[in-house]
Amino acid sequence: MRLGRTTVALATLLSLAAPAFAQSPSPPPPAAVAGAIPPAIGARASDILAIMRAQGDVAATFHPTFLAEISEEKLRAIAKQLSDQYGAPLRVMKINAADDRQATFELDYERGVAQVSLVLAGPEDGHKVTGFWITQVAPKGDSLAAIQSGFAALDGDSAFGIYSLKGTELRPLLEGGTRAPLATGSSFKLVLLAALDADIRAGRLKWSDVVPLSHKSLPSGQIQNWPDRAPMTLQSLATLMISISDNSATDTLLHLLGRERVSDFALKQDMLDSKGMPVLSTLEAFVLKEPGHKAMRERWAKARPPERLALLRSEARGWTVADAKAVMLTGTPQAIDTVEWFATPRQMANALVWFADKASPEARAILAVNPGLPDPARRGWSYIGYKGGSETGVIAANYLLIDKDGRRYIVSAAWNDRSKAVDNDRFFALVNRMITLAAPK
C-alpha cells in the first residue's frame, strides 16, 4: 500500500512527486537575487539545455555523485521523453540565483515550459551539477478541456475535480470522469485525521496524549520495526500517518478512535462512500486481498456493512503482520473494486474542506508536512496540504491550496485499472496541469 511519495533528482521529471512509499528531500527553494547571473549558473543552465537537445557532454556537466544515481542513459531517455511530448527545447529563461551555486530557471520548449531547480558543486569540483530537478512542465496554451481529454484517454476508470471554496461551499471549476466512487488507497487517512481532530476539538483527546503502538501493519511507513507498544503521542502518530503514510500509525489510530465511530463520521460528513464501509485497517486490507482469502473476500463483497463488521469481529480478530503479504504492491491489481477505501473527488474535497474550515492549527500543520509538490513557494501558494494513495492499479492525489490572498482551492483525482498497474507519471502530469491552471497568476 503506497502511502507517501518518492522523488529522486531528475527521476521526478514527469511524475511531479507521485505518491509512493518513501520521501526524499525536495529541491531547494532558492530566492531570486538582483544583479548579474553568476557565470557558473549561466554556463550550467546552457549545458543542460544542450543535453535536453540530445547534445552536450554529460560527464563534463554532472558531478559523479549525481551520475551514480541518474545515469547518462537515463538522462538522455528523459530528454527524449520531454522532446517527444513538448517539442524541441528552445532556450533558457528566467534564471533566479540564490548565490553562485543554487538557482531556478525555465526551459522553454515548443509546446511547454519546464521549471528547473539547480545545485552546483564548488569551484574545486568545477561547479559540476550535483542537484537537478524538473519540478513541473506546464503545456503551453493548456486548458480545462485539454485536461479533461487527457483523463478521458486513460485506460480503466478515472475521476477528477478542481474546486474553489467559498466559506464551506465547494464550487466546481472542473469535474469529470466516472461518477462512481473509486478506490483511493491511503487517501482515507485524510478522513482519519479529520476524525481524530474532531475528537480533540471536542475535548475527548489531546494531541499530547501518549498511547502505545498497538497495531502494526506492513509498510509503507517506519514504525512497524519499532518495539511493540512503544509510547507515542497522538500528534506523532498523526504526523507519521499523513507525511509518510505510515500504516502502523494509521491502524493504531483507527483502533484507538474506533472503527464504527470513524465510519459514522466519514458517512455523516460525506467524506467516504458507503461502498467501502466499515473502514478497514491497512492490515485487514492486506490480508483480505491475499489469494488464500478468496472465500472471505467474496463474502465481504456481497455483505452489507453490519454483516461486514461481524465478519471482521469473527474472522479478523487476532490478525498480525505475520498473516499479511504485500500483495497490494506487486503483480496485478488485487480486489481494488471490493476491498478498498472508496470516494469520489467531491467526497475527498469534502474531507479537505474540514482542514480549510474546521481543523485545529495542529491538524492543518500535519497535512502540510509533505506538500506533495516541490518548491511550493515558487508556485505562489501560501499553504499546500496533501494526501495521496496508491497500490497496484490505484493512484490518487488530493490537495488543499491557499494563495497569498486567502483564496482556497481543492484539487482531487483518482485513477483505477482493474487489469494492470497504472502509469503514475502520466497521472501526475495531469494533476500537475490541474494545479498549474488553478495557481495564482
Side-chain angles (χ1 to χ4, degrees), residues 285-297:
F286 276 116
V287 177
L288 274 172
K289 287 174 181 280
E290 288 184 13
H293 285 89
K294 181 180 178 182
M296 185 175 177
R297 189 165 58 248

Side-chain angles (χ1 to χ4, degrees), residues 24 49 53 99 102 147 157 160 187 268 276 296 372 376 411 419 438:
S24 60
L49 175 62
R53 288 174 169 169
D99 49 40
Q102 298 183 81
I147 290 172
D157 298 307
F160 50 92
S187 299
K268 284 184 176 178
M296 185 175 177
V411 170
S419 64

Side-chain angles (χ1 to χ4, degrees), residues 143-154 158 160 174 426 430 433:
S143 67
L144 297 178
I147 290 172
Q148 196 154 6
S149 296
F151 275 101
L154 300 177
S158 62
F160 50 92
L174 172 69
R426 188 176 177 186
L430 287 167
R433 290 165 60 187

Side-chain angles (χ1 to χ4, degrees), residues 113-158:
V113 178
Q115 305 290 334
V116 180
S117 289
L118 185 67
V119 179
L120 306 183
E124 68 279 3
D125 287 315
H127 288 299
K128 288 189 175 183
V129 176
T130 59
F132 173 37
W133 298 265
I134 295 181
T135 55
Q136 66 166 320
V137 184
K140 291 179 179 176
D142 205 8
S143 67
L144 297 178
I147 290 172
Q148 196 154 6
S149 296
F151 275 101
L154 300 177
D155 294 335
D157 298 307
S158 62

Side-chain angles (χ1 to χ4, degrees), residues 29-48:
V33 297
I37 297 166
I41 293 289
R44 289 308 181 203
S46 295
D47 292 339
I48 286 172

